[in-house]
């Protein structure tokens, strides 16, 4: 008869020994040799050998053949990340970590709460070669910038419960060891939105941190910047605090729950030259072509289903494009052109004066446009066939894009300054604010309305496009492999998305090479 290991406790004992080995190796940044593990845990050499062989085979440990020591394996990292991957905090913070590292030159880290500690999930190393943070270690809540940022962002009851349970041990001469002083600092942190570690956890290292809070108000973790105190001075830390807080807000905005995300496998970059600033994707159902523009190296582009190429060059930066009957109307800073499907162009002389902000086609062949008015406002109305302009709405903020509901007499407008989507009903002066997207999610850019009345807009610096239902609820997010999507067109069961390359940092381009390309997105499935 086979003996049941669980009934004898031998299975549990072997498991405990394996976990002891993992703990020992995990607490040694440089790794441990087999002999050191055997001595530290007082294990028989043969037992140590068997445990190490099993843990290596399962990917939980790896053996460094040069130094002949054992280190934690990648499987440990995968398991740690999966514990916090709904959605993935590391993925949401990746662009912000790189951006903060480029801004500061210092080590940047993302961590999450685990018990009375914070656990590092990922980092970008300092450009100076000195590393003030390491992936994986547990650090106390009370004396780290990440921990204090998380504590300050928690509801008062939860924060007080954690502070009561903390053992405030001095790690450096600067560590706060009195609860009332810690609580006072947490109140200051909550008020200003970022925290500081004044050499409290590691002597000679100063850190700035900010909590990552998702759209539902849940504290998901924290970002931090760390560097030597002589380089990351108090004055510099105070300047960086708001930057770290802003990065944390953008990260939190990407962690919305409840909206299904379409991942990268549904996204394809079209072959063709990249644009400095792609914009205005417009579908022509008659020719079954997609027209779009590079606004900065001014040119009209066309995608015919197999190839994306330049159709016509323009003399000034492009400000709008609309399919109008059997031709295109292309607005630029010096006027408006009528462009044939083959790229022949001629000036349009009957066009309202003023600085054009947005233009779109209306149901029945009409044209809607927005023109700048006053210091920061705009006027939205209809362009008449003879070039006269009939104003219908006066807004105190400038719109960036207009789109007409294909099945209803209604306009939608985007306002990047406030992150708003507006609904405008012709014949009524009333303007309804359909939704406001938080600044941390990215800047709204471009607009398309689908057959159900859902509004699609791109989120610049947000790596995504989103759909808002007619009631204003965010009901779909499409993750993109580029940081600066600029505009979107709905075509059948998919999208075309224009993107920008000009504002993307060089190190980000290495991971976002499709920046500036036209993207096709399948929404099926």
């Amino acid at each position: 008869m086979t003996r049941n290991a669980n009934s004898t406790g031998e299975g549990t004992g072997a498991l405990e020994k394996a976990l002891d080995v993992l703990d020992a190796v995990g607490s040694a940044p440089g790794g441990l040799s087999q002999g050191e593990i055997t001595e530290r845990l007082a294990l028989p050499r043969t037992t140590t050998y068997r445990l190490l062989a099993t843990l290596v085979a399962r990917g939980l440990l790896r053996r460094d053949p040069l130094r002949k020591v054992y280190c934690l394996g990648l499987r440990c990292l995968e398991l740690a990340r999966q514990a916090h991957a709904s959605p993935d905090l590391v993925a949401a913070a990746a662009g912000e970590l790189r951006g903060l590292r480029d801004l500061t030159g210092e080590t940047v880290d993302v961590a999450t709460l685990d018990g009375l500690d914070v656990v590092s999930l990922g980092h970008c190393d300092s450009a100076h070669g000195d590393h003030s943070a390491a992936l994986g270690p547990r650090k106390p809540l009370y004396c780290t910038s990440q921990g204090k940022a998380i504590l300050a962002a928690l509801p008062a009851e939860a924060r007080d419960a954690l502070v009561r349970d903390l053992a405030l041990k001095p790690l450096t001469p600067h560590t706060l060891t009195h609860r009332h002083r810690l609580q006072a600092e947490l109140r200051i942190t909550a008020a200003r939105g970022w925290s500081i570690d004044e050499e409290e956890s590691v002597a000679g290292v100063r850190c700035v941190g900010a909590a990552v809070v998702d759209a539902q108000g849940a504290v998901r973790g924290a970002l931090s910047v760390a560097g030597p105190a002589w380089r990351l001075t108090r004055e510099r830390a105070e300047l960086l605090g708001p930057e770290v807080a802003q990065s944390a807000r953008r990260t939190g905005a990407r962690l919305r729950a409840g909206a299904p995300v379409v991942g990268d496998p549904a996204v394809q970059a079209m072959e063709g030259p990249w644009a400095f600033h792609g914009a205005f994707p417009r579908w022509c159902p008659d020719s079954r072509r997609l027209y779009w523009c590079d606004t900065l190296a001014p040119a009209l582009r066309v995608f015919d289903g197999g190839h994306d190429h330049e159709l016509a060059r323009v003399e000034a930066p492009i400000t709008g494009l609309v399919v109008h009957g059997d031709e295109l109307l292309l607005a630029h800073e010096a006027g408006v052109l009528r462009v044939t499907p083959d790229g022949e162009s001629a000036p349009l002389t009957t066009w309202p004066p003023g600085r054009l902000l947005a233009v779109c086609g209306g149901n029945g062949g009409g044209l809607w446009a927005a023109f700048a008015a006053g210091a920061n406002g705009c006027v939205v109305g209809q362009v008449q066939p003879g070039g006269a302009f009939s104003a219908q709405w006066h807004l105190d903020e400038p719109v960036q894009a207009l789109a007409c509901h294909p099945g209803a007499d209604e306009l939608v407008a985007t306002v990047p300054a406030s992150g708003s989507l507006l609904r405008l009903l012709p014949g009524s002066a009333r303007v309804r604010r359909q939704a406001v997207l938080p600044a941390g999610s990215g800047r709204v850019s471009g607009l398309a309305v689908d057959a159900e009345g859902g509004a699609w807009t791109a989120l610049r610096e947000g790596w995504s496009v989103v759909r808002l239902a007619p009631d204003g609820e965010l009901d779909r997010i499409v993750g993109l492999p580029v940081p600066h999507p600029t505009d979107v067109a709905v075509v059948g069961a998919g999208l075309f998305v224009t993107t920008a390359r000009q504002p993307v940092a060089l190190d980000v381009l290495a991971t976002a090479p499709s920046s500036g390309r036209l993207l096709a997105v399948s929404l099926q499935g």
Side-chain angles (χ1 to χ4, degrees):
M1 180 182 296
T2 303
R3 183 169 58 180
N4 187 333
N6 287 334
S7 66
T8 64
E10 292 180 6
T12 302
L15 177 60
E16 289 178 347
K17 290 183 177 69
L19 294 175
D20 288 341
V21 171
L22 284 174
D23 283 341
V25 173
S27 64
L32 295 174
S33 68
Q34 180 177 335
E36 289 171 330
I37 295 170
T38 298
E39 181 179 355
R40 183 173 297 192
L41 300 179
L43 294 172
R45 292 180 60 86
T46 54
T47 300
T48 304
Y49 176 80
R50 288 196 302 269
L51 292 174
L52 291 173
T54 301
L55 293 171
V56 169
R58 299 300 294 267
L60 296 169
L61 291 181
R62 61 181 177 84
R63 185 173 184 272
D64 185 327
L66 295 178
R67 297 187 298 123
K68 301 187 186 308
V69 297
Y70 291 86
C71 305
L72 291 179
L74 290 179
R75 183 59 179 155
C76 288
L77 179 59
E78 292 171 0
L79 292 172
R81 285 184 171 175
Q82 287 171 11
H84 303 282
S86 182
D88 187 0
L89 177 59
V90 176
E96 299 300 333
L97 294 182
R98 290 192 296 269
L100 282 173
R101 192 272 313 279
D102 293 344
L103 175 70
T104 65
E106 306 295 351
T107 299
V108 185
D109 190 75
V110 58
T112 192
L113 177 66
D114 188 12
L116 298 178
D117 298 322
V118 286
V119 178
S120 175
L121 299 178
H123 73 284
C124 284
D125 285 335
S126 164
H128 300 280
D130 44 15
H131 308 320
S132 301
L135 185 62
R138 305 175 70 87
K139 295 171 284 188
L141 272 174
Y142 63 94
C143 60
T144 58
S145 65
Q146 293 167 329
K148 288 191 285 187
I150 290 172
L151 283 172
L154 288 172
E157 185 176 347
R159 177 179 65 247
D160 293 344
L162 286 172
V163 171
R164 281 196 303 269
D165 290 340
L166 290 170
L168 305 181
K169 299 178 180 178
L171 301 184
T172 76
H174 303 284
T175 305
L176 296 178
T177 56
H178 298 285
R179 280 177 175 76
H180 70 276
R181 289 186 59 196
L182 176 60
Q183 288 281 23
E185 180 156 341
L186 294 179
R187 287 192 292 272
I188 294 172
T189 296
R192 69 187 174 195
W194 53 272
S195 63
I196 191 165
D197 165 3
E198 286 278 16
E199 304 183 57
E200 299 164 47
S201 57
V202 178
V205 174
R206 181 175 283 114
C207 310
V208 182
V212 174
V213 181
D214 66 20
Q216 286 69 44
V219 181
R220 304 292 294 273
L223 305 184
S224 69
V225 174
W230 55 267
R231 191 167 63 221
L232 186 55
T233 62
R234 175 72 192 212
E235 292 75 17
R236 187 178 176 216
E238 290 178 348
L239 292 173
L240 290 176
E243 298 289 345
V244 179
Q246 188 174 25
S247 292
R249 282 193 293 271
R250 286 194 292 263
T251 301
R254 298 188 187 106
L255 294 173
R256 294 186 186 91
V261 176
V262 178
D264 289 350
V267 182
Q268 181 181 3
M270 300 297 96
E271 290 296 330
W274 53 263
F276 282 99
H277 187 282
F280 312 126
R282 304 291 183 254
W283 176 251
C284 180
D286 293 339
S287 64
R288 301 195 62 79
R289 288 176 159 189
L290 184 94
Y291 297 93
W292 64 289
C293 302
D294 184 344
T295 65
L296 295 183
L300 175 64
R301 307 275 286 272
V302 61
F303 176 68
D304 59 13
H307 186 57
D308 174 35
H309 61 276
E310 185 177 290
L311 186 64
R313 288 190 176 273
V314 185
E315 63 184 29
I318 297 172
T319 57
L321 178 70
V322 62
V323 176
H324 189 57
D326 58 356
E327 62 185 7
L328 303 168
L329 296 183
L330 188 152
H332 56 87
E333 290 184 355
V336 178
L337 299 175
R338 299 170 60 180
V339 185
T340 70
D342 296 327
E344 298 295 326
S345 64
L348 178 66
T349 57
T350 55
W351 186 256
R355 182 165 63 89
L356 181 70
L357 300 179
V359 61
C360 74
N363 297 330
L367 286 174
W368 294 94
F371 290 91
N376 298 304
C378 73
V379 59
V380 181
Q382 201 161 21
V383 178
Q384 304 297 335
F389 180 69
S390 176
Q392 296 199 29
W393 300 275
H394 294 267
L395 307 178
D396 58 4
E397 50 189 349
V399 305
Q400 182 261 344
L402 289 172
C404 187
H405 189 317
D409 192 16
E410 186 178 44
L411 285 177
V412 184
T414 57
V415 183
S418 61
S420 301
L421 267 73
L422 307 178
R423 292 268 176 171
L424 302 90
L425 184 64
S428 170
R430 180 173 176 267
V431 176
R432 179 168 66 92
R433 201 171 296 271
Q434 177 187 356
V436 178
L437 295 173
S441 63
R443 289 177 291 152
V444 295
S445 180
L447 183 63
V449 181
D450 59 29
E452 292 76 34
W456 290 88
T457 187
L459 296 178
R460 294 194 61 183
E461 299 178 321
W463 298 73
S464 62
V465 295
V466 298
R467 181 184 189 270
L468 293 115
D471 62 2
E473 288 295 317
L474 178 71
D475 69 357
R476 196 154 193 184
I477 304 171
V478 180
L480 299 175
V482 297
H484 286 274
T486 57
D487 205 346
V488 59
V490 179
V491 181
L495 307 172
F496 283 101
V497 181
T498 53
T499 67
R501 189 179 185 92
Q502 183 266 339
V504 183
L506 288 177
D507 71 324
V508 178
L509 275 178
T511 57
S514 296
S515 294
R517 303 276 290 281
L518 178 68
L519 305 180
V521 181
S522 172
L523 299 178
Q524 294 178 333

